[in-house]
Amino acid sequence: MLIKNGWVLTNRVEKKDVAIEGNTITELGKSLSGSEYIDASNHLVMPGLVNTHTHLAMTLLRGYADDVPLHEWLTEYIWPREMKLTPEDCYYGNLLGIVEMIRSGTTCFHDMYFHPDQAVKAVRDSGMRAVISCSLAEFGNRAHALDVLKTGLQFMKTIQNEPRIDTSFGPHSPLTCSPEYLLTVQDHARKLNKIVHIHLHEAADWIEKFSKSHGQTPIECLESSGFLGENVCAAHVVHATDKELDILKTHGVKVLHCPSSNLKLANGIAPVAKMIKKGVCVALGTDGAASNNTLDLFAEMRLMALLQKLHDPSAMTSGTAVKIATENGGSALKWNAGRIEKGFLADIILVDLKKACMTPGHDVLSNVVYAANSSAVDTVIIDGRIVMENGVLKTLHEDEIIEKAQEHAYDLVNR
Amino acid sequence: MLIKNGWVLTNRVEKKDVAIEGNTITELGKSLSGSEYIDASNHLVMPGLVNTHTHLAMTLLRGYADDVPLHEWLTEYIWPREMKLTPEDCYYGNLLGIVEMIRSGTTCFHDMYFHPDQAVKAVRDSGMRAVISCSLAEFGNRAHALDVLKTGLQFMKTIQNEPRIDTSFGPHSPLTCSPEYLLTVQDHARKLNKIVHIHLHEAADWIEKFSKSHGQTPIECLESSGFLGENVCAAHVVHATDKELDILKTHGVKVLHCPSSNLKLANGIAPVAKMIKKGVCVALGTDGAASNNTLDLFAEMRLMALLQKLHDPSAMTSGTAVKIATENGGSALKWNAGRIEKGFLADIILVDLKKACMTPGHDVLSNVVYAANSSAVDTVIIDGRIVMENGVLKTLHEDEIIEKAQEHAYDLVNR
């Protein structure tokens, strides 16, 4: 397959053709020839966005509980509902989220939620790319947590060498998992060459609580224990001292930045510009739609860049914002994705440059970050396969999914 | 005309029909009858959004200068280009902005820019509603500024009793206009019953500079001089002490809040929740697309609400955010618009509730503020006339405008 005549985003934006064989980008150049092609005239051809932190089936709880702080939000609203989730709820919640993500140019996500087998099913059915975590939490009950880990390991065995799907370990956080349990999980992850997906330094009062009982902050404690490493994907990291950022950098920890959720739950603004300056790999995520409340990474990119400019207008360029949302996401999730480059996976989106919001084209990357409405994405390719073409989903029955998800969502909150 | 079977946003969201005669909402009720109607099944019927602070023709400079602070942005990038603006540039810049605004559900705007006659022309041609300011600035040359005021008064005389268009006085700011000149302008405004549209307390260093030379902050100084009043629309007010907010409240000054621009130019976060608590009328604006870089008020509503939650998740409800973007805008601009209510102007938008981003519908207002992509707006009615129907613009040739605007924009920056 060829993508012809588009403005291709590599290290710069230039008119080129992109050749794809199977699921891989095989060539970039002028006037490539081939029989099957997409005409990308007047389109930006860019890497698909990578959503590195989601709880996708929570899309069923979008708008269910606004205006409350993290602890109350979890204990009084979210957890009571989650206890009643069925596998089928999760399947439709996942599909609803995938529809929204494809429409807004996301081609890969990293999920941590209940019934991960249902996320896998939705990913298989949709043609999406994903890393699905098995959720783990200890809550003071080590024996039970080890059982859950065992189940998780069995789940992971069922997803091996499968196209577009990988698995990761998802221990919830240092607040719900002891350092010893986390280390056990990390040992397995290292043996199996898997990512560990964890919430870290999200709410200031949680850090304080932990520090009081452990005599160290979570980041310090996880360093001492030997947990940190380049396979650790730490969601949030809203609060971190210079010393803690240096620790993350030293161990190659990836930060999964979720600016909307951090504001909405009043957790704060993560020091992303400083992280980047220190050489920490930062990727972007939406968090669950119950605390965002969208899965639109264009909105998230814009918010991230604007927030970093609060005190310094030059704190983040649009080029850096795009890199965080694409290439860094690929690195964090260990997929060879997030760049339009020979040998990379063909996860590609076409953005219509003839929309009012993309006009004029003085600076296409600036338009992508600050001006684009994600509905300007009209074609989405994942793993070399077209999953949306000119605004029409090719792998999913959108209307049916929306209807089913609505039914399950209403039933869930009234159950 | 009838809007039938929609979920209508009044003080709550309920299924109703809306009857329109001429340019006015004449009735709300169940099962109203009429021959000509819009089927609003599965749609939210809500007031159009009001953009209370724009420099619309600047849309030609979208993406032209990112990552620099306000003063440098103005003096090194924007002003040199603006000196070369032609009336035709402005006409197409205005039309481009209007296309983007209609598409994202804005039905009324308040503009301050060069060649205001071209904004008027674009408003006439598009069916938009607007208040067009005549731009005034003194820059130490009183005689010249009084000449410009005279020209402004003549311009305003040409726009009288015209449907959908009103005019206002637009003295740039206390930094470029002396207190005496501002008072002269305000005297005219009071006589003619017009709004005064001014930038106020936007950048901290500007406030400091003013305070040093005047012995008072701009807000204090404008109170002493007798300038402040309920016809004053003050854009930005990013920085204000409690005492200054009390002054704004006492005099009924309207604050035009522009959160994206305030972040992008590193001016800060305006204390909107506190303003609302004190009873100050706050309305919403995008500022020019050169410092935002969109004209999408859905994005602006979301950003406003999220920013207010930085320290307190309950600081702003979605209901308040919607009121600020609709009803308060109508009040600030003195149009009887911004509510779906008998006797109000028929400025109405239909939002498709069957989009993935609007599903599920646990809380429709929350979805509007936090989850909606503005492309969910599919039908827009201004002054009782359909200007967009099912995503198709009825009054403007969108492709031609985008092409022309692109040409003018490129020519402008290379002139």
Side-chain angles (χ1 to χ4, degrees):
Chain A
M1 182 165 63
L2 274 180
I3 304 172
K4 281 192 77 77
N5 302 319
W7 292 96
V8 180
L9 172 62
T10 53
N11 289 329
R12 52 183 175 279
V13 175
E14 44 184 354
K15 203 146 197 168
K16 273 189 180 175
D17 299 340
V18 181
I20 298 168
E21 277 175 39
N23 67 353
T24 306
I25 298 169
T26 50
E27 202 180 345
L28 275 81
K30 301 263 179 201
S31 309
L32 302 182
S33 59
S35 57
E36 195 192 344
Y37 72 91
I38 296 173
D39 180 11
S41 303
N42 298 316
H43 282 72
L44 177 68
V45 179
M46 65 177 279
L49 306 181
V50 181
N51 193 342
T52 59
H53 184 59
T54 60
H55 310 290
L56 200 60
M58 281 185 98
T59 311
L60 294 185
L61 295 173
R62 190 203 308 273
Y64 176 63
D66 291 336
D67 311 330
V68 291
L70 179 57
H71 186 73
E72 185 186 341
W73 180 78
L74 281 173
T75 55
E76 294 187 25
Y77 294 90
I78 300 302
W79 287 346
R81 288 301 127 201
E82 287 181 336
M83 285 174 60
K84 301 187 171 182
L85 274 171
T86 67
E88 210 193 7
D89 291 338
C90 286
Y91 178 65
Y92 284 104
N94 279 300
L95 284 181
L96 176 64
I98 288 173
V99 168
E100 192 184 355
M101 287 199 292
I102 291 176
R103 287 219 159 275
S104 50
T106 292
T107 54
C108 178
F109 70 101
H110 188 201
D111 199 59
M112 180 199 287
Y113 208 56
F114 300 95
H115 302 297
D117 56 316
Q118 298 300 312
V120 167
K121 195 172 162 221
V123 170
R124 282 183 186 136
D125 292 352
S126 60
M128 250 285 173
R129 184 184 307 286
V131 180
I132 307 295
S133 305
C134 49
S135 293
L136 306 166
E138 195 176 1
F139 286 116
N141 186 341
R142 177 79 49 91
H144 177 69
L146 289 172
D147 275 352
V148 177
L149 176 58
K150 207 179 282 176
T151 311
L153 286 163
Q154 280 160 358
F155 161 72
M156 291 167 99
K157 264 196 193 158
T158 65
I159 326 283
Q160 280 185 21
N161 304 315
E162 186 159 354
R164 298 181 288 101
I165 311 184
D166 199 356
T167 53
S168 66
F169 291 88
H172 178 264
S173 75
L175 220 85
T176 57
C177 301
S178 67
E180 298 75 27
Y181 182 66
L182 288 177
L183 206 57
T184 306
V185 172
Q186 174 60 292
D187 285 344
H188 282 286
R190 285 180 177 140
K191 260 182 241 154
L192 297 169
N193 195 24
K194 296 284 185 188
I195 289 167
V196 183
H197 185 189
I198 189 167
H199 295 87
L200 194 61
H201 283 225
E202 181 174 7
D205 57 342
W206 285 16
I207 300 170
E208 202 184 0
K209 192 177 161 190
F210 183 99
S211 304
K212 265 191 192 149
S213 63
H214 290 74
Q216 285 179 306
T217 66
I219 288 177
E220 290 165 354
C221 174
L222 295 185
E223 190 195 27
S224 315
S225 76
F227 173 83
L228 296 184
E230 58 73 48
N231 69 334
V232 172
C233 280
H236 302 297
V237 192
V238 180
H239 312 275
T241 61
D242 277 11
K243 188 186 146 202
E244 287 165 335
L245 293 182
D246 290 336
I247 292 174
L248 298 180
K249 162 66 185 155
T250 302
H251 295 277
V253 172
K254 314 300 189 293
V255 171
L256 317 180
H257 174 50
C258 303
S260 291
S261 169
N262 296 157
L263 284 178
K264 190 146 182 289
L265 296 168
N267 288 319
I269 300 172
V272 174
K274 197 193 265 184
M275 291 174 184
I276 297 291
K277 219 171 179 179
K278 282 186 179 284
V280 177
C281 176
V282 180
L284 197 60
T286 56
D287 210 347
S291 65
N292 183 309
N293 299 349
T294 88
L295 298 161
D296 182 341
L297 280 179
F298 277 87
E300 215 64 27
M301 242 193 313
R302 180 174 195 267
L303 181 62
M304 167 179 66
L306 287 177
L307 287 176
Q308 295 305 311
K309 286 165 182 277
L310 176 56
H311 301 297
D312 172 8
S314 64
M316 182 175 285
T317 64
S318 45
T320 300
V322 171
K323 185 168 178 280
I324 288 172
T326 55
E327 191 178 335
N328 290 10
S331 300
L333 302 189
K334 298 184 183 295
W335 285 108
N336 195 26
R339 288 183 62 86
I340 308 283
E341 198 175 299
K342 193 178 161 170
F344 272 67
L345 288 164
D347 292 0
I348 297 173
I349 62 177
L350 271 59
V351 181
D352 185 352
L353 298 176
K354 283 280 180 192
K355 294 272 182 188
C357 64
M358 301 301 283
T359 308
H362 297 309
D363 182 338
V364 175
L365 279 196
S366 167
N367 287 353
V368 164
V369 174
Y370 296 112
N373 184 301
S374 62
S375 67
V377 175
D378 65 18
T379 296
V380 176
I381 297 166
I382 301 176
D383 211 45
R385 176 187 185 193
I386 300 174
V387 297
M388 182 167 84
E389 190 167 20
N390 296 322
V392 179
L393 297 185
K394 309 297 277 185
T395 55
L396 297 171
H397 298 287
E398 187 168 9
D399 293 347
E400 189 189 315
I401 289 166
I402 288 171
E403 200 168 309
K404 280 283 200 180
Q406 182 90 282
E407 280 170 29
H408 279 268
Y410 287 161
D411 191 64
L412 172 64
V413 301
N414 292 308
R415 208 167 277 165
Chain B
M1 181 165 64
L2 274 181
I3 303 172
K4 283 193 76 76
N5 302 320
W7 292 96
V8 180
L9 172 63
T10 53
N11 289 330
R12 53 183 172 279
V13 176
E14 43 184 355
K15 202 144 197 171
K16 274 190 178 176
D17 299 339
V18 181
I20 297 168
E21 277 175 39
N23 66 354
T24 306
I25 297 168
T26 49
E27 204 180 345
L28 275 80
K30 299 261 180 202
S31 309
L32 302 182
S33 59
S35 56
E36 195 192 346
Y37 72 91
I38 296 173
D39 181 10
S41 302
N42 299 316
H43 283 71
L44 176 69
V45 180
M46 66 175 279
L49 307 182
V50 181
N51 193 342
T52 59
H53 183 59
T54 60
H55 310 290
L56 200 60
M58 280 185 98
T59 310
L60 294 185
L61 295 173
R62 191 203 309 272
Y64 177 62
D66 290 336
D67 311 329
V68 290
L70 179 57
H71 186 73
E72 186 186 340
W73 180 78
L74 280 173
T75 55
E76 294 188 23
Y77 294 90
I78 301 302
W79 287 346
R81 289 301 128 201
E82 287 181 336
M83 283 175 60
K84 299 187 170 180
L85 273 171
T86 67
E88 211 192 6
D89 290 337
C90 287
Y91 178 65
Y92 284 103
N94 279 299
L95 285 180
L96 176 64
I98 288 172
V99 167
E100 193 184 354
M101 288 199 291
I102 291 175
R103 286 218 159 276
S104 51
T106 293
T107 53
C108 179
F109 70 100
H110 187 200
D111 199 59
M112 180 199 287
Y113 208 56
F114 299 96
H115 303 297
D117 56 318
Q118 299 301 312
V120 167
K121 195 172 163 221
V123 170
R124 282 184 185 137
D125 293 351
S126 60
M128 250 285 173
R129 185 183 307 286
V131 180
I132 307 295
S133 305
C134 49
S135 294
L136 305 166
E138 194 175 3
F139 286 116
N141 185 340
R142 176 79 48 91
H144 177 68
L146 289 171
D147 276 352
V148 176
L149 176 58
K150 205 179 281 176
T151 311
L153 287 163
Q154 281 160 357
F155 161 72
M156 291 167 99
K157 263 196 192 157
T158 65
I159 326 282
Q160 279 186 21
N161 305 315
E162 185 160 352
R164 297 181 287 101
I165 312 183
D166 199 356
T167 53
S168 66
F169 291 88
H172 177 265
S173 75
L175 220 86
T176 56
C177 301
S178 66
E180 299 74 28
Y181 181 66
L182 288 177
L183 205 57
T184 305
V185 172
Q186 175 61 292
D187 285 344
H188 283 285
R190 284 179 177 141
K191 259 181 240 153
L192 296 170
N193 195 24
K194 295 284 184 189
I195 289 167
V196 183
H197 185 188
I198 189 167
H199 295 87
L200 194 61
H201 283 224
E202 181 175 6
D205 56 343
W206 285 17
I207 301 171
E208 200 183 352
K209 191 177 162 190
F210 183 100
S211 304
K212 266 191 192 151
S213 63
H214 291 73
Q216 285 179 307
T217 66
I219 288 178
E220 290 166 355
C221 174
L222 295 185
E223 190 196 28
S224 316
S225 76
F227 173 83
L228 297 184
E230 59 72 49
N231 70 333
V232 172
C233 279
H236 302 298
V237 192
V238 180
H239 312 276
T241 62
D242 277 10
K243 187 185 145 199
E244 287 166 334
L245 292 182
D246 290 336
I247 291 174
L248 299 181
K249 162 67 184 154
T250 302
H251 295 278
V253 171
K254 314 300 189 293
V255 171
L256 317 180
H257 174 49
C258 303
S260 291
S261 170
N262 296 158
L263 284 178
K264 191 146 182 289
L265 297 169
N267 288 320
I269 300 171
V272 173
K274 197 193 265 185
M275 291 174 185
I276 297 291
K277 217 171 180 179
K278 282 186 179 283
V280 177
C281 175
V282 180
L284 197 60
T286 56
D287 209 349
S291 65
N292 183 308
N293 299 345
T294 88
L295 298 160
D296 182 339
L297 280 179
F298 277 87
E300 215 64 28
M301 241 191 315
R302 180 174 196 269
L303 181 61
M304 168 179 66
L306 287 177
L307 287 177
Q308 295 306 310
K309 286 165 181 277
L310 176 55
H311 301 297
D312 172 8
S314 64
M316 182 176 285
T317 64
S318 45
T320 299
V322 170
K323 185 169 180 279
I324 287 172
T326 55
E327 190 177 337
N328 290 9
S331 301
L333 302 189
K334 299 185 183 294
W335 286 107
N336 195 26
R339 286 184 64 86
I340 308 283
E341 197 176 300
K342 192 179 163 170
F344 271 66
L345 288 164
D347 292 359
I348 296 172
I349 63 177
L350 272 57
V351 181
D352 185 352
L353 298 176
K354 283 280 179 193
K355 294 273 183 187
C357 64
M358 302 300 284
T359 308
H362 296 308
D363 182 337
V364 175
L365 279 196
S366 167
N367 287 353
V368 164
V369 174
Y370 296 112
N373 183 301
S374 62
S375 67
V377 175
D378 65 18
T379 296
V380 175
I381 298 165
I382 301 175
D383 212 45
R385 177 186 184 194
I386 301 173
V387 297
M388 182 167 83
E389 189 166 20
N390 297 322
V392 179
L393 297 185
K394 310 297 279 186
T395 55
L396 296 171
H397 298 287
E398 188 169 8
D399 292 347
E400 189 188 317
I401 289 165
I402 288 171
E403 198 167 310
K404 280 284 202 179
Q406 182 89 285
E407 280 170 29
H408 279 269
Y410 288 162
D411 190 64
L412 172 63
V413 300
N414 292 306
R415 207 168 276 165

